[in-house]
Amino acid sequence: MTATASRGRKPAALDAETAGRLRGYLRQMMLIRHFEERAGEAYSLGLIGGFCHLYIGQEAVAVGTISALRDDDHVISAYREHGHAIARGVTPRAVMAELFGKATGSSHGKGGSMHIFDAGRGFLGGHGIVGSHIALAAGHAFASKYRGQDSLTLCFFGEAAANIGAFHETLNMAGLWKLPVVFVCENNFYGMGTALHRAAAIEELHQRAASYGMPGQAVDGQDVMAVREAMDQAAARARADGTPTLLEIRTYRYVGHSMSDAVHGTYRSKEEVEEHKRRDPIRLLAELLRERAGMPEAEVDEMEQSVKAEVQDAWDFAESSPDPDPSALYTDVYAPEA
Amino acid sequence: MAVLTYRDALNQALREEMQRDDRVFLMGEEVAEYNGAYKVSRGLLDEFGARRVVDTPIAELGFAGIGVGAAMVGLRPVIEMMTWNFALLAIDQIVNSAAKMRYMSGGQVGVPIVFRGPGGAALQLAAQHSQAFESWYAHIPGLKVVAPATPADAKGLLKSAIRDDDPVVFIEGEMLYNLKGEVPDGGEHLVPIGRAEVKRAGGEVTLVCHSKTVAVALKAAEELAAQGVDAEVLDLRSIRPLDEAALLASVAKTHRCVVVEEGWAFAGVGAQVVDTIQREIFDELDAPVLRVTQADVPMPYNKHLEKAAKADVPKTVAAARKVLYLE
């Protein structure tokens, strides 16, 4: 909670290294935000099919955590994962082309919005069954430990997934065996239309870590520095002796659960959404950089133009890419014959 | 050739493959310190240590998923299900994760994993512990499904399954663990997945079977021989991929077929066998294909009722005589 804690004091100037790093985060967050806005637009135009879950409002969680990783770490996520993929370095072109179902997409058009994979970057999906991939994350971590490596696995899931069996079975074994996973519960307070207080006996979800012998921490997910700080500590524990951590990172999605869900009206009010937008992670970081690093407003505008161009390029690439060849229907079911 | 039990043949396969490849590990309930609920993993903890022979809590979904996750990054897990009845708790990981990963990642991420354990009915274990799930898993593209009937096939198929780059559902016969048979010597005894085997050659009717019903079919063939009927026994060994060529060759020769399986009839393995035959060699058939299956009820506890529910030799003989129009 670095940024909020510093309010009311005279802000100390950031050193150049930190300021540079934060500028990088700001651009990444803006890139994810704009990518998702355009994905929503493409969906409305019928260019994207199926389900499409946008990450708008939660950008600081992906950027604050993934920025702490090494190349040999693994990242795995659920179905609201476009932002995680982009933060991990999967190109907007590959993600957008996958959303468009094209052969040039990250999964060659066979996965879609919910199944973004980039094995070369250690980005292992993109999973559509709530909570199931939490167990897969522990498997990646099991393999790291089995091989005597100090790499870790970062696993994203929503707060609603913390009520499913896979969460509890996995955290128990991860705690028992000290598997190096950082479990990131992105608490946006609604599992589809069901509010947290209607679904969980304990709303302080980070406390569940105590049942599984691992540290748990609640984190302000709109403050990218706070997210990064918590992630650094969790990563250090994982690399030191495999200790897993449950981070409950509190955030908010500005958009509906999926494209077919209204932003507000059924389960939350317009006022509530507007209230949360006052602590927008991108604006908070931009303000911080202005106050403590003297970043001129024009630089934000430049970043804005730059991410818009990058996303437009991704859109154009996706739109002009070919569909998968009809023969692709029958490939990748089994390994090719040796 | 050494004579081994089915249990020890499986044990030998695990041991040899773990010696051969450090990426192979065994995980499941009671596999290590207890030496396995059915003693298939006897001695493996002593030889390979707790890093590679891993006892789990009772959490099928969780440890199946950990296995899939480990396979996604290049290990070769063997996940023991104490029985396939309990694997229903893990079916999400088998069907939604393991079977789909390669496809939905556009070929980037394979899952070289074996899920193994006993399936089918034993004796008087009642409804929840007596189920044959081959057809459930065989329904799923992305999975391979094998169910060996003999010690030699158990060893050779398990070794092939462990070396396979795709997820394999390996269903052992709970009543077969003490079965003895000759097993070829050496570490390279591999039975290819997807290859059926004629366990008894014959010319007048084909008895298609797998796993425990191979013994049923062989016994039925003996009784039929005593009645002057020359039956062929075809052991599928693999359910998916199904060895259609072997199946069609046998039925094209005998022109009559009975499918004997432990599972229920509805959408069962036999239904796929019948579909294959009628689609490919309709004109070769001299009679409708009949099926001997479990009665369409949950398994009862009472031993007389249980016997009545199971596929057995008299039912198989009767079905064979019927397709030969002998009664």
Side-chain angles (χ1 to χ4, degrees):
Chain A
M1 330 248 161
T2 318
T4 43
S6 68
R7 281 176 179 198
R9 293 204 305 268
K10 185 175 164 55
L14 295 170
D15 62 75
E17 188 276 330
T18 307
R21 205 157 47 82
L22 291 180
R23 279 183 163 87
Y25 297 171
L26 180 63
R27 188 183 184 284
Q28 267 198 316
M29 288 161 62
M30 289 169 66
L31 176 63
I32 293 169
R33 169 81 49 100
H34 192 64
F35 181 95
E36 293 291 65
E37 287 168 351
R38 296 299 308 276
E41 182 188 337
Y43 192 92
S44 305
L45 293 170
L47 295 169
I48 297 173
F51 293 138
C52 187
H53 311 85
L54 303 180
Y55 196 61
I56 297 171
Q58 303 184 202
E59 297 88 348
V61 184
V63 172
T65 51
I66 292 172
S67 60
L69 295 182
R70 301 192 315 222
D71 287 349
D72 62 343
D73 294 327
H74 293 111
V75 182
I76 188 166
S77 183
Y79 45 77
R80 195 180 303 285
E81 90 285 28
H82 312 160
H84 304 136
I86 290 169
R88 185 55 171 166
V90 186
T91 65
R93 278 185 165 202
V95 180
M96 193 66 91
E98 189 58 34
L99 302 189
F100 280 49
K102 297 300 182 72
T104 53
S106 47
S107 293
H108 309 307
K110 286 178 164 177
S113 167
M114 296 188 286
H115 307 301
I116 306 292
F117 283 78
D118 187 338
R121 289 183 173 83
F123 193 81
L124 297 174
H127 298 269
I129 307 296
V130 171
S132 288
H133 70 289
I134 301 173
L136 304 181
H140 310 331
F142 179 92
S144 294
K145 191 159 182 162
Y146 188 90
R147 291 173 164 135
Q149 299 163 342
D150 69 346
S151 53
L152 64 82
T153 299
L154 176 58
C155 176
F156 295 98
F157 52 93
E159 87 291 337
N163 297 318
I164 204 166
F167 168 88
H168 295 277
E169 293 189 15
T170 302
L171 265 69
N172 181 49
M173 284 183 271
L176 179 69
W177 296 336
K178 282 196 177 273
L179 301 179
V181 188
V182 180
F183 296 101
V184 171
C185 173
E186 292 194 65
N187 181 2
N188 64 21
F189 297 95
Y190 293 94
M192 204 166 152
T194 303
L196 174 63
H197 70 86
R198 297 203 297 127
I202 294 172
E203 291 181 53
E204 299 287 320
L205 295 172
H206 61 98
Q207 291 178 358
R208 292 186 177 181
S211 297
Y212 305 116
M214 68 178 73
Q217 184 187 348
V219 183
D220 176 3
Q222 306 311 85
D223 176 351
V224 71
M225 287 176 76
V227 173
R228 174 61 195 260
E229 190 178 317
M231 179 63 196
D232 278 336
Q233 291 166 4
R237 282 190 291 268
R239 296 195 203 287
D241 66 352
T243 298
T245 299
L246 173 62
L247 296 180
E248 178 200 342
I249 305 188
R250 292 174 180 163
T251 182
Y252 200 80
R253 72 171 145 75
Y254 296 175
V255 290
H257 166 72
S258 68
M259 292 304 296
S260 58
D261 177 32
V263 173
H264 50 73
T266 35
Y267 54 88
R268 60 184 190 180
S269 65
K270 185 172 187 219
E271 292 69 33
E272 180 187 311
V273 177
E274 292 308 317
E275 179 63 27
H276 277 279
K277 284 185 176 175
R278 291 172 55 178
R279 291 202 66 245
D280 180 70
I282 293 176
R283 212 181 54 239
L284 286 181
L285 180 57
E287 277 170 11
L288 183 138
L289 279 165
R290 267 197 301 272
E291 286 174 21
R292 295 176 59 189
M295 185 177 75
E297 189 61 39
E299 196 175 324
V300 181
D301 294 342
E302 277 166 33
M303 275 189 203
E304 186 83 28
Q305 293 315 311
S306 144
V307 300
K308 278 185 174 169
E310 189 171 349
V311 175
Q312 184 61 49
D313 169 73
W315 177 304
D316 294 342
F317 173 78
E319 201 168 23
S320 62
S321 287
D323 282 321
D325 188 85
S327 66
L329 177 63
Y330 289 105
T331 59
D332 305 322
V333 181
Y334 296 100
E337 296 282 331
Chain B
M1 278 206 251
V3 173
L4 294 178
T5 62
Y6 186 96
R7 168 186 293 111
D8 289 342
L10 292 167
N11 180 273
Q12 221 175 58
L14 286 168
R15 188 182 304 274
E16 287 172 7
E17 293 308 300
M18 290 179 73
Q19 286 166 348
R20 180 178 175 270
D21 186 349
D22 184 67
R23 297 172 301 173
V24 180
F25 69 94
L26 176 66
M27 176 181 276
E29 295 154 3
E30 309 288 5
V31 297
E33 297 199 5
Y34 194 80
N35 278 312
Y38 292 89
K39 305 303 173 201
V40 170
S41 57
R42 186 164 44 208
L44 297 182
L45 175 65
D46 287 346
E47 181 169 347
F48 298 103
R51 171 174 167 265
R52 300 183 64 196
V53 185
V54 185
D55 275 331
T56 67
I58 300 175
E60 283 82 5
L61 176 71
F63 68 74
I66 287 174
V68 175
M72 287 169 71
V73 294
L75 297 187
R76 292 189 166 256
V78 177
I79 302 297
E80 178 169 313
M81 293 292 167
M82 194 180 284
T83 83
W84 277 98
N85 302 289
F86 313 151
L88 291 186
L89 290 153
I91 201 168
D92 172 50
Q93 294 295 358
I94 301 171
V95 173
N96 277 322
S97 296
K100 305 294 191 289
M101 206 67 68
R102 187 182 296 281
Y103 200 81
M104 68 188 188
S105 69
Q108 293 180 73
V109 182
V111 182
I113 191 170
V114 178
F115 300 100
R116 53 152 290 273
L123 293 172
Q124 288 196 271
L125 297 182
Q128 293 180 330
H129 282 72
S130 306
Q131 305 173 90
F133 287 115
E134 289 89 310
S135 67
W136 286 40
Y137 296 104
H139 187 64
I140 307 298
L143 296 180
K144 296 180 179 179
V145 181
V146 301
T150 67
D153 287 345
K155 180 174 176 184
L157 277 169
L158 183 54
K159 288 169 71 79
S160 293
I162 291 169
R163 296 184 194 187
D164 201 280
D165 289 331
D166 291 307
V168 179
V169 168
F170 193 96
I171 302 179
E172 297 156 15
E174 188 163 344
M175 295 292 285
L176 297 177
Y177 285 126
N178 289 326
L179 178 76
K180 287 184 177 166
E182 289 194 333
V183 178
D185 296 323
E188 290 302 307
H189 166 57
L190 299 170
V191 172
I193 294 172
R195 201 80 56 78
E197 186 178 65
V198 174
K199 288 290 199 279
R200 174 190 172 117
E204 292 179 283
V205 57
T206 300
L207 305 179
V208 176
C209 50
H210 67 273
S211 188
K212 247 160 56 194
T213 59
V214 172
V216 172
L218 286 169
K219 192 84 198 317
E222 271 176 42
E223 293 197 9
L224 287 163
Q227 298 169 24
V229 174
D230 184 25
E232 176 149 300
V233 174
L234 182 72
D235 175 5
L236 294 174
R237 301 197 293 192
S238 296
I239 311 303
R240 181 191 265 266
L242 188 65
D243 189 348
E244 295 192 355
L247 174 68
L248 297 173
S250 178
V251 178
K253 178 178 71 174
T254 62
H255 309 293
R256 299 163 202 274
C257 181
V258 172
V259 191
V260 195
E261 66 179 299
E262 271 201 277
W264 293 292
F266 196 102
V269 173
Q272 186 64 27
V273 169
V274 172
D275 168 68
T276 304
I277 294 169
Q278 65 82 26
R279 182 162 31 84
E280 300 292 336
I281 52 168
F282 184 78
D283 290 336
E284 293 283 357
L285 284 175
D286 286 344
V289 180
L290 292 185
R291 300 172 57 197
V292 179
T293 66
Q294 187 187 323
D296 199 21
V297 297
M299 188 65 86
Y301 165 70
N302 174 277
K303 64 181 172 187
H304 303 295
L305 292 179
E306 183 187 44
K307 187 170 185 308
K310 286 176 167 175
D312 64 5
V313 174
K315 289 174 192 163
T316 306
V317 170
R321 291 182 63 84
K322 199 163 177 187
V323 300
L324 285 149
Y325 300 110
L326 292 173
E327 51 205 57

